[in-house]
Amino acid sequence: MRTQVAIIGAGPSGLLLGQLLHKAGIANIIIERQSADYVLGRIRAGILEQITVDLLKEAGVGARVAAEGTVHHSIELVYRNTRHPIDVTGLTGGKVVTAYGQTEVTKDLMDARAAAGLTTLYSAADVSIHDFDGSSPVVRFRQDGELKELACDFIAGCDGFHGVCRASVPEGAITEYEKVYPFGWLGVLADVPPVSTHAIVYANSERGFGLCSMRSLTRSRYYVQCPIEDKVEQWSDDRFWDELRRRLDPEMAERMVTGPSIEKSIAPLRSFVAEPMRFGRLFLAGDAAHIVPPTGAKGLNLAASDVKYLSNALVEYYHERTSAGIDDYSRKALARVWRAERFSWWLTSLMHRFPDTQGFGQKVQEAELEYLVNSEAASRSLAENYVGLPLDFAQIR
Ligand code: APR
Ligand code: PHB
């Protein structure tokens, strides 16, 4: 087998890259470890920056997000059980975000890929990548017990945090930066109408962080901060609803509709960046290169901007015969990555209870929240980052 770009991983990064390359006439094959159903079963965040919505449109999958996504003009901060709306659209000269689940994005991209007749090899075992430091990289894997080989011009490592691509880079060639947070998020998905359909609710309470999000007008996604060592079995639905209510303001707590969970899981929170994002003919994109804690929902949006930079660079390479774009990919992507890392870390630090900072850290957090909700400049800084910084590095320098 041979293709121009071998893409490892069929998450949002790999699927979006495949679609953008296909639109530009560049051949690609995706190799995915799991089955398509497994990939679609993962529940992840669901807030899209306008840049991401625009990219989905460019990739030919903009219709459903436009029809079914819910446009948000504000966010609600809850602090000391009191609600403080932040007028995101007013503070950013008209920008919005769209609530639309990552699962739906993935499904739309998978459907478009199938409709275009493009190859995705699912359930590929023992994937390994070779010779990306030379001019003829190769991907090897096992499917149905048979050993297979895919030759290509470039490898796109879109295989997430636990993937094989970053792990295949020689140790001395890569620098990793990491921060692990001392708590987790317990998430619940339920078919109940969201308590807030016009804005995501971020609650800082003395009991810990709480978040109210949505997947549609009939499906809610809610979270509470919990000890990282907690097990899902310790959290009955009743305990979860009770805890979430206690972290909100009284009116919202009263209004919240509860019901049986259809998914419940505990996720760790991590900030992580690997530098650089290119090694010869291997590029990393999305979670393979960086992780943000979910506060602010930047993960999918960063994956989308990486993929935009990478597809532009590859299109330049194939159509204009210049490697300037691929040479600049890592610098360009990392500039935006670090800004989103900063924002996600900041919002996480602002909204959670930290077990070890009951003294000074706690007081500073309170002062920062007071400043944020009372200062237009501080609110605007939050709003500007929430809607997403521009793609053009020159504009965000
Ligand atoms: N070989 C092939 N595929 C692999 C391998 C491997 N060795 N290891 C992992 N994969 C696949 C995973 O099964 C997964 O489907 O790579 C895919 C990576 O997808 P994601 O983890 O969703 O990462 P990405 O596409 O970069 O999407 C980023 O996902 O985690 C969220 O917050 C994050 O929203 C962001 C988005
Ligand atoms: C979600 O919908 O899962 C979500 C929304 C906003 C966040 C994090 C997660 O900041």
Side-chain angles (χ1 to χ4, degrees):
M1 273 188 292
R2 174 164 183 93
T3 191
Q4 288 176 303
V5 181
I7 301 174
I8 315 298
S13 302
L15 288 165
L16 183 59
L17 179 63
Q19 221 48 33
L20 292 172
L21 293 179
H22 168 66
K23 291 263 161 196
I26 299 169
N28 62 88
I29 289 178
I30 300 185
I31 300 174
E32 163 64 51
R33 178 161 63 178
Q34 307 286 357
S35 69
D37 283 346
Y38 181 96
V39 172
L40 282 174
R42 294 189 294 228
I43 309 291
R44 300 250 175 91
I47 289 292
L48 308 184
E49 296 171 357
Q50 191 58 44
I51 286 173
T52 306
V53 173
D54 292 346
L55 259 180
L56 292 175
K57 198 164 155 197
E58 189 181 327
V61 296
R64 207 157 69 92
V65 62
E68 294 176 26
T70 306
V71 172
H72 284 181
H73 299 277
S74 61
I75 57 176
E76 299 264 13
L77 295 185
V78 176
Y79 167 49
R80 291 210 171 119
N81 300 95
T82 304
R83 228 181 305 164
H84 302 273
I86 306 275
D87 174 13
V88 167
T89 300
L91 289 162
T92 56
K95 298 202 169 122
V96 299
V97 295
T98 302
Y100 189 71
Q102 179 171 322
T103 312
E104 305 308 315
V105 172
T106 308
K107 185 171 182 310
D108 294 346
L109 287 164
M110 277 182 178
D111 289 351
R113 190 165 176 89
L118 305 180
T119 308
T120 311
L121 304 169
Y122 285 102
S123 306
D126 305 330
V127 177
S128 60
I129 60 172
H130 307 270
D131 305 333
F132 50 86
D133 50 349
S135 57
S136 313
V138 169
V139 184
R140 295 201 183 98
F141 56 101
R142 209 176 281 279
Q143 231 188 1
D144 304 322
E146 209 183 309
L147 198 60
K148 298 189 175 167
E149 198 169 283
L150 173 63
C152 57
D153 300 334
F154 296 101
I155 299 173
C158 300
D159 50 349
F161 184 63
H162 299 288
V164 68
C165 291
R166 191 182 71 251
S168 304
V169 174
E171 220 176 277
I174 193 164
T175 307
E176 299 185 346
Y177 302 87
E178 184 172 44
K179 178 174 177 64
V180 176
Y181 299 85
F183 40 72
W185 274 20
L186 169 67
V188 158
L189 192 67
D191 277 332
V192 291
V195 68
S196 167
T197 52
H198 70 283
I200 304 294
V201 181
Y202 294 89
N204 175 311
S205 95
E206 60 187 19
R207 301 181 66 85
F209 175 68
L211 189 153
C212 305
S213 180
M214 58 184 287
R215 288 293 173 269
S216 71
L217 295 176
T218 56
R219 182 168 285 187
S220 300
R221 179 66 167 165
Y222 296 138
Y223 303 91
V224 293
Q225 173 186 350
C226 68
I228 189 62
E229 56 281 354
D230 271 16
K231 300 279 170 274
V232 169
E233 300 74 51
Q234 292 168 254
W235 286 89
S236 66
D237 288 358
D238 283 348
R239 181 179 172 206
F240 175 81
W241 293 119
D242 187 45
E243 189 57 48
L244 178 59
R245 276 207 195 91
R246 292 168 80 167
R247 298 182 185 194
L248 302 176
D249 68 294
E251 188 274 325
M252 210 177 252
E254 172 72 31
R255 197 156 41 79
M256 193 162 65
V257 182
T258 64
S261 61
I262 51 177
E263 194 263 357
K264 197 188 281 165
S265 50
I266 294 178
L269 274 75
R270 181 196 303 273
S271 298
F272 173 87
V273 181
E275 290 189 352
M277 289 169 62
R278 180 220 177 165
F279 309 88
R281 286 179 170 251
L282 167 67
F283 303 97
L284 302 180
D287 277 17
H290 43 74
I291 296 286
V292 287
T295 335
K298 288 296 171 213
L300 174 57
N301 294 297
L302 268 190
S305 54
D306 285 357
V307 161
K308 173 67 176 163
Y309 298 133
L310 182 54
S311 65
N312 283 354
L314 289 168
V315 169
E316 263 179 62
Y317 175 85
Y318 283 108
H319 293 181
E320 293 163 31
R321 290 277 142 206
T322 161
S323 33
I326 56 178
D327 290 343
D328 202 31
Y329 165 68
S330 178
R331 184 199 68 83
K332 215 170 185 169
L334 283 166
R336 194 167 190 274
V337 164
W338 275 112
R339 281 164 171 80
E341 289 284 345
R342 185 209 66 82
F343 174 67
S344 306
W345 159 83
W346 170 78
L347 194 57
T348 302
S349 311
L350 183 71
M351 298 307 291
H352 292 75
R353 270 303 124 139
F354 284 76
D356 55 346
T357 54
Q358 265 139 28
F360 187 78
Q362 183 59 37
K363 296 298 275 185
V364 167
Q365 191 192 67
E366 288 166 16
E368 178 134 27
L369 275 158
E370 291 291 349
Y371 173 53
L372 179 61
V373 299
N374 289 298
S375 154
E376 189 179 303
S379 297
R380 178 168 290 126
S381 168
L382 165 62
E384 174 180 60
N385 283 278
Y386 195 72
V387 298
L389 295 175
L391 273 176
D392 183 350
F393 180 61
Q395 290 180 44
I396 56 173
R397 199 186 283 276

